[in-house]
Amino acid sequence: MARILAVDWDSEQIRFLLGNVTGDSVTIVKAGCAYLGESVGRGVSAEGVSNEGRDESELDSAPSDVKPHGPEVGQVLKSLLRQEHVGKGELALALARSDVEVLYLTLPVVSEGELPDLVQNQVLRESTTYLEGQPLDFLPLGLSEKDKALRVMSVSMTRIQLDETRLSLQPASRRPKRLEFRPLALYEFFRAGVIPLPREADSFSTAPVLILQEVADEVNLLVYGPDGPVYVRAFKRLSKVSGEEMLDRLAAEIRRTLSTSFEEENAPEIHRLIAFGSDDDVPFFSRLEAKLAPMGLEVVMYNPFEMSGISCQCQVPDEVGRYAPLVGMLLASRKKTRPVLDLLHPRQKPKPPNYPLMILVFLLISGLTVASLWWLNERELSRRAKELAALEKEKATLIGQIRQVSPAWQVLSRAKAWDRNQGVLLLDELRDLTLRIPKAPDLTITRLAWSNAVRNRTAFIISGKVTSLAVYQQFYFALTSDKSHTIVTAGPKVLTNEGGFTHEFSVQVFCHARSWNDFYKQLPAELQKISNNYPEQWLVPVTGTAPGTAPGTGSQPVESVPEVSTPVGGSQGTTPAGQPPEETAQ
């Protein structure tokens, strides 16, 4: 949002508008004016408009009709802004016709980049006051139908006038950021589209119009064509004239403006006069329209505070027509626009490319890019290093955990292999062996292990000591009597001085595949009663006994349980009915 303070003054009063410009909308937040005393009325008189032979000498001037300059104006502005509580804002100042020199130039058609130098050279030749380095801006007016040349309006200001203007604003502690030409500020209404242009009767193109705007000591006339401004005139108002005389003077000047605005013979006719005012000005413009009736001019009045895109949040001041250039200056501050003419920021030819600067900027950007990429790479490497260290630590932890559980895993893996090879659980075999081995103190076991890699078969390795050969034979017979085991051994060895043990032995016990019932038969009766491996679903119930009853409680004897064939590939057999048995467990 831009905050713009638009200021304009004449010999009678000083006016201001404070507006907020957001995008394409303008909001007027404060408006005010203050009247100037006679002591500030000093300055230069209005100059005639040079327009290739057009006579502009009839400009009235009087001591009271001169635009004031000097510190007194700044004092009045300072008091006015303080009274209205106006804060900071970008100052845009409107310049009267008497402050600038206007020249209408006819130039050959050149490129946009060559036009500023061409205009400046032409102004140096034709102007009587312009010196190189003074503020100068211009506005292209289009091609001339007569010779297809480019028509340009130049506006310049002397250095003395610029210094006087700045000196006038010093007491108010304000420095202008823009110097706009008051009549051309009216062009902003059409450029912003807030005032529609009429259409020609026989075509879709827009028809030219004449714009009228008055201040205390000056009347501005702007001819606006389909392509933009065509002609600008300004004349001084006489301070001591009646209303009728003023109407006659306006009608005469309007007639003169229409006769000199277009050079072409077939120039389009102007049928509409646009004026600025309020409801109080309607009678005056109605009488003016009656004066202009012979010329076929229709007067259309607009209130600059009541247009589309403009909202006013303050009290509308009197004599609203005098504020029209200020509203136009606010419209010139809209988004992506610039004033049509600004002496502090004139049109300039494009500067040639500064290749050394471009190379320097390129190298600087390249260096910053490389430094940024290096920094990002270092940060990424640091992050990856931290991740790698965390992963290495996690790896070491997992390896330690694997080493801890590997023996148990190997045991479980071999036990599963035993189950697959023998068709029974390893724990069942181990329990069966412990039940068969004679009890101490006649025999003591010094080693009990098992392996899957003995002669490519699964075997238990049992080492021990016995008190006599009879105990060893009892051990041997207990394992091999039912042909469930095969023992490979070198035989017992004689021991001496072993505290009562006479022989030691080491055997490899190879277990044969057996059914569950074979294991069950070897259990003592008390273990059979509490065994969780009893296949209750295999029992054939006895009359009057519920299925699944344990032995000794009315169930069929164990010998009557049908045999289950257990394949070598698994620990579970298949019943005659085709139902898989439950997995046995210790």
Side-chain angles (χ1 to χ4, degrees), residues 27 34 210 212 446 486 506 516 533:
T27 302
L210 178 63
L212 170 68
T446 59
T486 299
S506 178
W516 183 88
N533 293 333

Side-chain angles (χ1 to χ4, degrees), residues 81-303:
L81 298 181
R82 180 179 298 176
Q83 178 182 353
E84 298 294 336
H85 304 286
V86 177
K88 296 182 179 180
E90 181 180 332
L91 178 60
L93 182 62
L95 298 176
R97 176 62 185 84
S98 58
D99 293 329
V100 298
E101 180 185 23
V102 179
L103 293 177
Y104 290 89
L105 310 176
T106 301
L107 304 174
V109 179
V110 295
S111 65
E112 185 178 355
E114 299 173 325
L115 190 57
D117 287 341
L118 188 60
V119 170
Q120 185 178 18
N121 294 334
Q122 190 73 7
V123 173
L124 281 172
R125 286 194 295 267
E126 297 188 14
S127 175
T128 59
T129 60
Y130 179 74
L131 298 176
E132 189 173 359
Q134 293 180 351
L136 170 67
D137 200 2
F138 63 91
L139 176 66
L141 302 179
L143 296 178
S144 174
E145 295 290 341
K146 184 177 180 181
D147 49 9
K148 299 299 181 181
L150 181 64
R151 297 179 61 250
V152 175
M153 179 179 68
S154 69
V155 179
S156 61
M157 186 179 189
T158 65
R159 181 64 63 179
I160 296 176
Q161 290 171 320
L162 178 61
D163 293 340
E164 287 183 351
T165 301
R166 289 175 173 172
L167 182 63
S168 301
L169 296 172
Q170 278 187 359
S173 300
R174 303 279 178 166
R175 186 176 182 86
K177 300 296 183 181
R178 295 185 347 226
L179 292 177
E180 302 184 42
F181 188 30
R182 182 192 290 161
L184 286 182
L186 305 174
Y187 168 47
E188 303 295 343
F189 288 98
F190 299 94
R191 195 162 66 140
V194 298
I195 296 181
L197 288 173
R199 299 286 183 179
E200 294 182 351
D202 54 348
S203 66
F204 291 100
S205 60
T206 57
V209 296
L210 178 63
I211 305 169
L212 170 68
Q213 190 269 334
E214 301 177 82
V215 292
D217 58 2
E218 184 178 277
V219 178
N220 299 298
L221 294 171
L222 171 65
V223 178
Y224 186 85
D227 300 325
V230 176
Y231 183 49
V232 173
R233 280 195 74 233
F235 64 92
K236 290 295 182 180
R237 297 179 58 174
L238 294 178
S239 58
K240 297 180 181 179
V241 294
S242 62
E244 194 66 26
E245 291 176 339
M246 185 60 192
L247 288 173
D248 294 337
R249 175 69 186 279
L250 281 177
E253 293 295 341
I254 290 173
R255 186 181 299 108
R256 185 179 180 188
T257 302
L258 295 179
S259 63
T260 58
S261 58
F262 290 97
E263 295 180 346
E264 293 80 6
E265 296 180 357
N266 57 346
E269 295 184 359
I270 299 176
H271 298 288
R272 178 173 292 185
L273 173 67
I274 294 178
F276 296 94
S278 61
D279 295 339
D280 297 336
D281 301 318
V282 172
F284 176 81
F285 287 115
S286 299
R287 293 163 57 195
L288 178 62
E289 185 176 21
K291 293 279 186 180
L292 300 177
M295 292 182 285
L297 277 178
E298 173 192 8
V299 178
V300 180
M301 188 186 69
Y302 289 96
N303 189 332

Side-chain angles (χ1 to χ4, degrees), residues 290-468:
K291 293 279 186 180
L292 300 177
M295 292 182 285
L297 277 178
E298 173 192 8
V299 178
V300 180
M301 188 186 69
Y302 289 96
N303 189 332
F305 291 88
E306 298 177 354
M307 294 183 174
S308 62
I310 300 174
S311 61
C312 184
Q313 297 180 354
C314 62
Q315 183 178 0
V316 178
D318 298 332
E319 299 176 316
V320 296
R322 298 186 178 185
Y323 292 85
L326 301 180
V327 177
M329 293 161 68
L330 295 180
L331 291 173
S333 304
R334 293 172 302 131
K335 184 179 179 181
K336 297 181 180 180
T337 59
R338 65 176 298 274
V340 65
L341 190 142
D342 184 1
L343 291 179
L344 292 183
H345 304 89
R347 288 179 173 83
Q348 297 178 351
K349 67 177 181 179
K351 295 182 179 180
N354 191 341
Y355 291 107
L357 180 60
M358 293 174 61
I359 294 174
L360 179 61
V361 172
F362 172 76
L363 294 177
L364 181 61
I365 294 176
S366 300
L368 293 176
T369 303
V370 171
S372 300
L373 292 177
W374 179 86
W375 178 76
L376 291 174
N377 184 58
E378 287 295 321
R379 189 176 68 172
E380 183 67 16
L381 289 177
S382 177
R383 185 182 67 83
R384 294 293 179 89
K386 292 179 180 179
E387 291 182 356
L388 180 60
L391 291 176
E392 289 290 345
K393 185 176 180 181
E394 183 180 0
K395 177 183 176 182
T397 303
L398 293 177
I399 289 176
Q401 294 176 356
I402 290 174
R403 289 175 179 174
Q404 290 178 357
V405 301
S406 291
W409 177 83
Q410 292 176 0
V411 171
L412 292 177
S413 177
R414 292 172 182 176
K416 294 294 292 184
W418 176 287
D419 297 342
R420 291 193 299 268
N421 293 334
Q422 299 297 121
V424 293
L425 295 178
L426 175 64
L427 295 179
D428 288 339
E429 286 285 359
L430 183 60
R431 182 181 60 184
D432 186 52
L433 286 176
T434 56
L435 293 174
R436 291 171 183 262
I437 296 175
K439 303 296 185 293
D442 296 330
L443 183 147
T444 180
I445 301 299
T446 59
R447 182 188 179 195
L448 177 60
W450 64 275
S451 174
N452 287 334
V454 179
R455 299 181 183 180
N456 295 324
R457 296 175 62 187
T458 304
F460 282 95
I461 301 174
I462 302 176
S463 299
K465 300 176 183 180
V466 293
T467 56
S468 65

